[in-house]
Amino acid sequence: FFEPISAFLQKMKLFIPVVVLVAILAEGIFSDDSMTIVLHKDPVATVEPNMASFSFEISGVCEMMGKYPDMGIKSSFVNLFKNLQEKTGGPGPTIRIGGNSADESWWNPTGKPRPPNITYDITYDDLTTYANFVKATKNTTTLVIATNMRQPDNASWAVDHVNAVEQILGWDTVKAVEIGNENDLFYENGIRASNYTYSDYVPQMGVYVQSMLSKTSIPPKRIQGGTFCCHWDPDVTADINRFNPYFGTYSYHRYPTSKCDGRVPNIEELLADAAAAGEAEHVQEWAKTARGYGFDFVIGEGNSCSCGGMHNISDTMGSAVWATDFLFNLAAVNVTLMNFHGGNDGPYTAIGYRSEHDTVPDVRPLYYAMLAFTETTRNYATIHKVDVSTTNNFIKGWAVQDKNRSWRVVVISKVYNSSEPANVTVNVKEVGLPASASLFYLESKNRSIYDMYGLSWAGQTFDGSLDGLPLGQRTNTTLTIKEGTFTFQIHPASIAVLEF
């Protein structure tokens, strides 16, 4: 399966989860588009139940949860996590707490004067907030905690932070600890000298690893390695090989578009193959190397657009259809976790709050995608091989079967400037002949790739929800099999899921 995904796309032979996923990207107006998907029994990769997870800044995560003791845990935030956990058939989402603020924060419960470049004090109130939130989710949420690597040869800030984490949270709650954030950018952001390289990083990382092992009670294999993003790609394999005895997971960050340094991305970039299949192909060999050592490769931080996201791209239906295709492509190359970075009211956050004391959630299209993906791949679903033929080279197909032997077929339309639906035929002759199937849609009222609200998944919406629970009755259409196939239509800027 390790043939580059781009080659599969050119051949139009894709691996699909027991859910079939279809993505259509149109640069012109298409009519009478059609696609045929043939399901096969050949398994490709298992999707972890909580693959669609979250990342928040150290300096902002408590505002999302409801910071102790100023206010109680936000029940709406808890409910939005429970919605996902209830769909998984397993654990709830992970929260990775880190980001740029990891190297700008330190454990400072007594209010000591801050050193230069430290802008946030982590206190008992922060860690108590984390603990209260996990408890509110009935301990179905686990955490990844990032620590500060600003000091080159002195790991004391990281050690103090980890010891406090153990005291207040415990290792049942914390699945991994990171050392620094995007260390390959240290030479750009002033944390290290302008000539800083991976060779300089290696002995410094060694100091931090040994300090963690000798000065904390961190369990074996709880360090999450990597956290690189950009400039050390040639060194990733060597990094995994060098530090693998200490790693339990390995993290890399991916954003397919960026508004950093004045760049202005557009929706076409996000909907292109490079933003989904290309991103998976980028990390494919690293995931294989990590699995060879017996640990997981994760996208520890990522989203649609780096440097905070882009309005009218990251907060639209376009981000939902991108994210679904992105998640399937990652899962197909054995990436086990994707943490969507966000928080507060930023453009790319899946869940927003307009202020730290606001308890009414602003549920964005990205969250709908995470929910639909999680439900579609529930019960440890396995991606299966499919053959796809289509009149549109930007139609993607995915199929999965879960451990209860249920199949699901997802169709994702990335069409952004047409009103014409595509006709879809799903051939199930090899995998069984059910009498009927249920069809669900993730769609918006206006069927526009730019819609921010008016979305629904299986007939339910979060528009107007005060408590983070969906509104409305779940709806679906029942389809009858005919000569071993199911047929239906997919409208532009929407997702269809066929289940049998």
Side-chain angles (χ1 to χ4, degrees), residues 12 336 443:
M12 295 313 299
T336 59
E443 58 189 350

Side-chain angles (χ1 to χ4, degrees), residues 216-413:
T216 78
S217 298
I218 188 171
K221 309 289 276 188
R222 288 296 180 95
I223 295 174
Q224 180 157 287
T227 76
F228 306 154
C229 70
C230 310
H231 298 314
W232 289 349
D233 285 7
D235 302 302
V236 170
T237 299
D239 196 60
I240 296 172
N241 291 336
R242 177 176 284 109
F243 290 107
N244 77 82
Y246 312 107
F247 293 160
T249 48
Y250 197 89
S251 167
Y252 196 83
H253 298 177
R254 295 306 297 169
Y255 291 86
T257 72
S258 178
K259 71 171 188 181
C260 304
D261 302 319
R263 283 173 280 187
V264 182
N266 56 49
I267 197 73
E268 292 86 349
E269 291 179 62
L270 186 62
L271 302 179
D273 286 343
E279 292 293 318
E281 184 177 334
H282 189 94
V283 303
Q284 176 174 305
E285 287 302 317
W286 301 333
K288 181 180 178 181
T289 301
R291 287 176 65 84
Y293 286 114
F295 56 83
D296 290 341
F297 185 94
V298 306
I299 304 299
E301 176 190 318
N303 210 310
S304 56
C305 178
S306 61
C307 289
M310 191 78 176
H311 283 299
N312 295 321
I313 295 177
S314 302
D315 49 6
T316 67
M317 187 66 185
S319 71
V321 294
W322 160 76
T324 310
D325 193 29
F326 182 57
L327 285 163
F328 274 111
N329 273 284
L330 291 174
V333 299
N334 292 301
V335 173
T336 59
L337 190 73
M338 168 63 212
N339 295 326
F340 289 99
H341 199 56
N344 301 323
D345 198 32
Y348 62 16
T349 191
I351 303 166
Y353 289 98
R354 291 179 170 83
S355 74
E356 63 180 299
H357 296 291
D358 190 6
T359 61
V360 177
D362 181 11
V363 180
R364 306 286 179 79
L366 176 58
Y367 180 84
Y368 286 84
M370 296 172 70
L371 186 64
F373 176 86
T374 299
E375 181 171 349
T376 295
T377 59
R378 67 186 180 272
N379 295 327
Y380 297 88
T382 298
I383 296 175
H384 280 247
K385 179 183 178 181
V386 295
D387 292 331
V388 175
S389 59
T390 177
T391 59
N392 186 329
N393 288 334
F394 289 96
I395 295 180
K396 324 300 178 189
W398 298 100
V400 299
Q401 186 182 34
D402 70 20
K403 67 180 183 180
N404 297 327
R405 306 193 70 78
S406 294
W407 288 81
R408 299 176 204 98
V409 177
V410 182
V411 180
I412 307 170
S413 171

Side-chain angles (χ1 to χ4, degrees), residues 56 60-68 70-82 95 129-130 132-137 343-345 351-362 466-469:
F56 298 106
V61 66
C62 289
E63 294 181 7
M64 299 294 291
M65 295 176 172
K67 188 167 184 178
Y68 173 89
D70 297 338
M71 63 183 301
I73 294 297
K74 297 179 182 181
S75 60
S76 59
F77 196 59
V78 172
N79 286 336
L80 289 163
F81 271 67
K82 285 184 176 179
I95 300 180
T129 300
Y130 306 171
N132 289 346
F133 176 77
V134 171
K135 183 178 180 181
T137 66
N344 301 323
D345 198 32
I351 303 166
Y353 289 98
R354 291 179 170 83
S355 74
E356 63 180 299
H357 296 291
D358 190 6
T359 61
V360 177
D362 181 11
L466 302 180
D467 57 7
L469 297 175

Side-chain angles (χ1 to χ4, degrees), residues 10-33:
Q10 292 165 3
K11 296 177 182 177
M12 295 313 299
K13 291 186 177 180
L14 302 179
F15 291 120
I16 301 182
V18 172
V19 180
V20 175
L21 178 75
V22 178
I24 305 169
L25 173 61
E27 295 189 2
I29 295 178
F30 292 87
S31 60
D32 299 322
D33 267 338

Side-chain angles (χ1 to χ4, degrees), residues 75 86 100 153 168 207 224 255 323 388 404 419:
S75 60
E86 289 170 357
N100 290 338
D153 303 308
I168 299 171
V207 168
Q224 180 157 287
Y255 291 86
V388 175
N404 297 327
S419 60

Side-chain angles (χ1 to χ4, degrees), residues 21-24 317-318 320-322 324 410-416 420-422 440-449 455-457 489-497:
L21 178 75
V22 178
I24 305 169
M317 187 66 185
V321 294
W322 160 76
T324 310
V410 182
V411 180
I412 307 170
S413 171
K414 294 182 181 178
V415 175
Y416 63 89
E420 299 295 322
F440 303 87
Y441 285 101
L442 169 51
E443 58 189 350
S444 64
K445 291 181 179 178
N446 296 327
R447 292 176 178 162
S448 169
I449 207 79
L455 277 67
S456 63
W457 160 238
Q489 289 190 320
I490 178 74
H491 282 277
S494 64
I495 298 172
V497 177

